[in-house]
Amino acid sequence: MPTKIEDVARRAGVSTATVSRVLSGKPYVSDALRQRVLETIQELDYRPSRVARSLRVQRSSIIGLIISDIQNPFFTSVVRAVEDVAQQRGYAVFLCNSDEDVDKELTYIELMLAEQVAGMIVSPTASSNEVYRRLVEQRVPVVAIDRRVDGVPMDTVVSDNVQAACAVVSHLIENGYRRIGAILGIPDASTGAERYQGYVTALAHYGMPLLPELVRSGLPRSQNGYELTLDLLAQSQPPDAIFTGNNLLTIGALRAIHEVGLGIPDDVALAGFDEMDWMFLVKPALTVVMQPAYEMGQRAAELLLERIVDPDRAPQAVVLQPTVKVRESSRRAAMRA
């Protein structure tokens, strides 16, 4: 049976409150008494649980981070930034991957609540907001990153997806492309919906029709990008350019385009969301929307720590501006020959 705090107190001849004060580093314990308690802890090999320790000191030193897809390199920078900020402030990070699965997301949220984490940063899997409404009502510090949670007053850090998608699709139009396909994430997630909105906005601005047969959506995974691109390219009038909604969809699109023997941009131009290290090294280098992923993670961690200290402050919505990096994969259509 594991040693309990009561066992330590009994052996050291002190109260459990005194043991608790020693464990939490609080004052008003004499050096001699502190030494006796520490020696007893070592003698009995007492290891306080994270939950019990958190309850004694009234705060945890762990923050939870739930990302939607650990294979997406975008989240590598987000995780690094959150960890950097957390470590500077004396916190550790408890990382979970929901894998775009609502049930896994809920399981991890419940686990973090059971572990008494100080707060959570979450990339929500879908637009369902009931769980986040309950967290806010229960005054659990929580920040949404990358995706919004509609109708819930909570801290949020996102990119300006509408503006960025509009900018990259406008670039394709200005370069002479007229049948621009879109392969996007699911509309239930704010990123998918907002990037679709940007696509539609660009078409409307240039007086171009919205053609439903050129739009596909699915979970943002490379296999889906591959299958949806094959579907677009198999049409009797395939697109002359494709806009992809994230880097995993872009990988799938690249695979499909090469598999059917088409050249980029000679046969079909390609522009997508999110930079990956190799995208400027391949031939042709890929045009991408570059999100400030590290800054997003940094701001989310800062907002969470502010919320932990001041739970009554008004929620903040931080919208960061991506940039479009133009490369050869979207070269002007008139120059393709």
Side-chain angles (χ1 to χ4, degrees):
M1 180 178 294
T3 303
K4 298 179 180 179
I5 191 171
E6 291 84 359
D7 300 323
V8 175
R10 188 179 306 111
R11 177 71 67 88
V14 299
S15 68
T16 55
T18 298
V19 178
S20 222
R21 284 197 293 273
V22 171
L23 288 169
S24 60
K26 290 184 177 179
Y28 311 118
V29 179
S30 69
D31 290 340
L33 194 55
R34 187 183 303 278
Q35 185 61 33
R36 188 163 87 225
V37 170
L38 291 173
E39 289 174 355
T40 304
I41 288 172
Q42 184 174 12
E43 178 186 345
L44 298 179
D45 194 26
Y46 173 61
R47 300 176 185 274
S49 72
R50 288 195 304 270
V51 174
R53 186 166 59 246
S54 297
L55 291 173
R56 281 194 297 274
V57 302
Q58 294 302 302
R59 78 169 181 88
S60 170
S61 60
I62 299 172
I63 60 176
L65 174 58
I66 304 176
I67 58 175
S68 55
D69 189 349
I70 202 167
Q71 290 186 313
N72 186 338
F74 165 80
F75 286 110
T76 303
S77 293
V78 168
V79 172
R80 178 59 185 267
V82 171
E83 184 181 40
D84 285 348
V85 173
Q87 188 177 47
Q88 290 167 8
R89 298 282 292 275
Y91 286 83
V93 177
F94 179 6
L95 174 64
C96 296
N97 171 48
S98 70
D99 201 27
E100 298 286 0
D101 185 312
V102 174
D103 291 335
K104 285 182 69 175
E105 177 184 15
L106 294 176
T107 297
Y108 286 135
I109 289 174
E110 291 171 0
L111 175 62
M112 289 182 180
L113 291 173
E115 285 289 317
Q116 297 285 327
V117 296
M120 306 178 208
I121 299 171
V122 186
S123 173
T125 57
S127 59
S128 175
N129 56 14
E130 186 56 36
V131 64
Y132 297 101
R133 179 175 291 108
R134 291 201 304 270
L135 290 175
V136 171
E137 289 173 350
Q138 295 168 8
R139 296 170 64 82
V140 175
V142 59
V143 176
I145 188 169
D146 185 45
R147 298 170 177 174
R148 304 176 194 272
V149 180
D150 293 335
V152 180
M154 61 187 292
D155 293 314
T156 304
V157 180
V158 295
S159 287
D160 191 340
N161 292 296
V162 176
Q163 184 278 331
C166 181
V168 75
V169 174
S170 295
H171 158 72
L172 291 170
I173 296 170
E174 290 169 358
N175 271 11
Y177 297 96
R178 291 296 176 263
R179 286 184 61 81
I180 301 172
I183 298 176
L184 305 168
I186 56 174
D188 286 346
S190 66
T191 44
E194 290 171 0
R195 291 168 193 178
Y196 173 74
Q197 183 182 344
Y199 168 78
V200 172
T201 299
L203 294 178
H205 178 76
Y206 288 90
M208 296 177 60
L210 172 62
L211 302 175
E213 66 268 23
L214 293 182
V215 180
R216 298 290 185 273
S217 65
L219 287 175
R221 293 173 175 158
S222 61
Q223 183 64 23
N224 288 337
Y226 168 74
E227 294 173 358
L228 295 173
T229 301
L230 287 179
D231 187 37
L232 283 181
L233 296 176
Q235 295 184 24
S236 58
Q237 288 185 285
D240 59 3
I242 295 176
F243 163 56
T244 50
N246 89 333
N247 47 25
L248 298 181
L249 293 173
T250 303
I251 292 173
L254 274 171
R255 176 185 162 202
I257 292 168
H258 288 305
E259 187 172 289
V260 299
L262 297 179
I264 302 172
D266 296 334
D267 299 308
V268 58
L270 182 63
F273 241 85
D274 295 328
E275 176 78 293
M276 296 177 72
D277 289 343
W278 51 266
M279 286 183 170
F280 65 93
L281 297 174
V282 297
K283 300 296 183 182
L286 297 180
T287 293
V288 292
V289 172
M290 300 178 67
Q291 294 193 89
Y294 187 91
E295 187 180 357
M296 290 174 70
Q298 187 178 48
R299 291 294 293 121
E302 290 168 352
L303 284 178
L304 181 63
L305 296 177
E306 291 172 13
R307 173 68 56 190
I308 292 168
V309 173
D310 183 8
D312 295 319
R313 70 163 175 77
Q316 296 182 40
V318 176
V319 181
L320 300 176
Q321 294 300 321
T323 58
V324 178
K325 184 67 176 179
V326 175
R327 301 191 179 110
E328 283 296 299
S329 69
S330 61
R331 189 173 63 237
R332 187 173 295 276
M335 299 172 60
R336 289 184 295 162

